[in-house]
Amino acid sequence: MPAKKTIAAPARPSRRRTSKAAQRRPEMLDPVVDRPLPALATDFIGWLVTSLSVRLSRSASSFYMERWDIGTTEYRLLLALGVEHECSAAFVAAAADVDKAAASRSLQVLSQQGLVTLARHGREMTITLTETGRSLSQELYSTSQQREIRLTHGMSAAQVKRLRADLHTLIENLPRLSDESFDGDLPD
């Protein structure tokens, strides 16, 4: 077995940033998040889901960048590593549902920030959270739960559970979009 090569950056102090942008008043509007829905979102679920996705992504990107100086790809990798603890780069990319090339770039950034340790074993790389990375991952998880509570405000627990199930069904049905032989009827 080849010798283990460890690449690690020194740990940085607290990751929380306080910038003017991070302290903006809630009444300030985000041009993407706060714009009206396009008319086609009324007619097509795909448009509605895409509009939601773009707005969620934009909101998350701003929030995590302003608060912790990380992008959404780094955020997703840190959350996945918080669950998996130590794994290969390919595994964490899949767990975070991130493209391998984007994951590789983001893992280098996280390493430079002292949040992960990258250990190469031949062609395979093992990723491990540092103590600072573990702490940030836990903070991100807690913050994500709070953001989800805000997102689903006004919905009952049963409605949230149903929404999750419906979204899973939509994802499972994605392969049917290119199935020319599928001839389903629209629901009433």
Side-chain angles (χ1 to χ4, degrees), residues 148-162:
E148 186 169 299
I149 288 167
R150 289 184 195 112
L151 179 65
T152 58
H153 176 75
M155 297 174 74
S156 69
Q159 288 172 315
V160 172
K161 184 177 180 180
R162 176 58 195 237

Side-chain angles (χ1 to χ4, degrees), residues 75-146:
Y75 155 78
R76 292 171 74 146
L77 292 167
L78 285 166
L79 281 183
L81 284 164
V83 172
E84 299 302 328
H85 305 294
E86 181 180 303
C87 56
S88 71
F91 185 87
V92 75
D97 199 13
V98 172
D99 174 74
K100 286 181 193 177
S104 179
R105 288 187 299 271
S106 290
L107 288 167
Q108 291 299 322
V109 168
L110 293 172
S111 176
Q112 292 165 359
Q113 292 178 337
L115 299 171
V116 299
T117 300
L118 309 175
R120 190 164 292 283
H121 310 278
R123 293 186 51 136
E124 190 71 23
M125 180 155 336
T126 301
I127 318 303
T128 309
L129 285 172
T130 63
E131 191 59 41
T132 304
R134 246 186 318 281
S135 176
L136 179 57
S137 178
Q138 290 168 352
E139 191 173 353
L140 291 172
Y141 188 86
S142 175
T143 300
S144 295
Q145 288 178 317
Q146 288 302 312

Side-chain angles (χ1 to χ4, degrees), residues 3 17 28 34 41 45 56 58 66 77 108 117 125 159-160 171 177 179:
R17 290 175 33 163
M28 293 179 72
D34 297 308
I45 291 173
L56 277 173
R58 170 71 183 259
E66 289 170 357
L77 292 167
Q108 291 299 322
T117 300
M125 180 155 336
Q159 288 172 315
V160 172
I171 290 169
L177 292 178
D179 184 355

Side-chain angles (χ1 to χ4, degrees), residues 24-101:
R24 68 182 177 171
R25 295 188 319 270
E27 62 270 11
M28 293 179 72
L29 299 178
D30 180 304
V32 171
V33 174
D34 297 308
R35 71 179 174 218
L37 281 174
L40 288 171
T42 304
D43 296 334
F44 298 104
I45 291 173
W47 277 75
L48 187 58
V49 171
T50 299
S51 290
L52 174 62
S53 175
V54 166
R55 291 159 195 250
L56 277 173
S57 182
R58 170 71 183 259
S59 172
S61 180
S62 264
F63 182 80
Y64 294 111
M65 186 57 72
E66 289 170 357
R67 205 161 229 203
W68 291 287
D69 196 27
I70 59 171
T72 53
T73 301
E74 291 86 7
Y75 155 78
R76 292 171 74 146
L77 292 167
L78 285 166
L79 281 183
L81 284 164
V83 172
E84 299 302 328
H85 305 294
E86 181 180 303
C87 56
S88 71
F91 185 87
V92 75
D97 199 13
V98 172
D99 174 74
K100 286 181 193 177

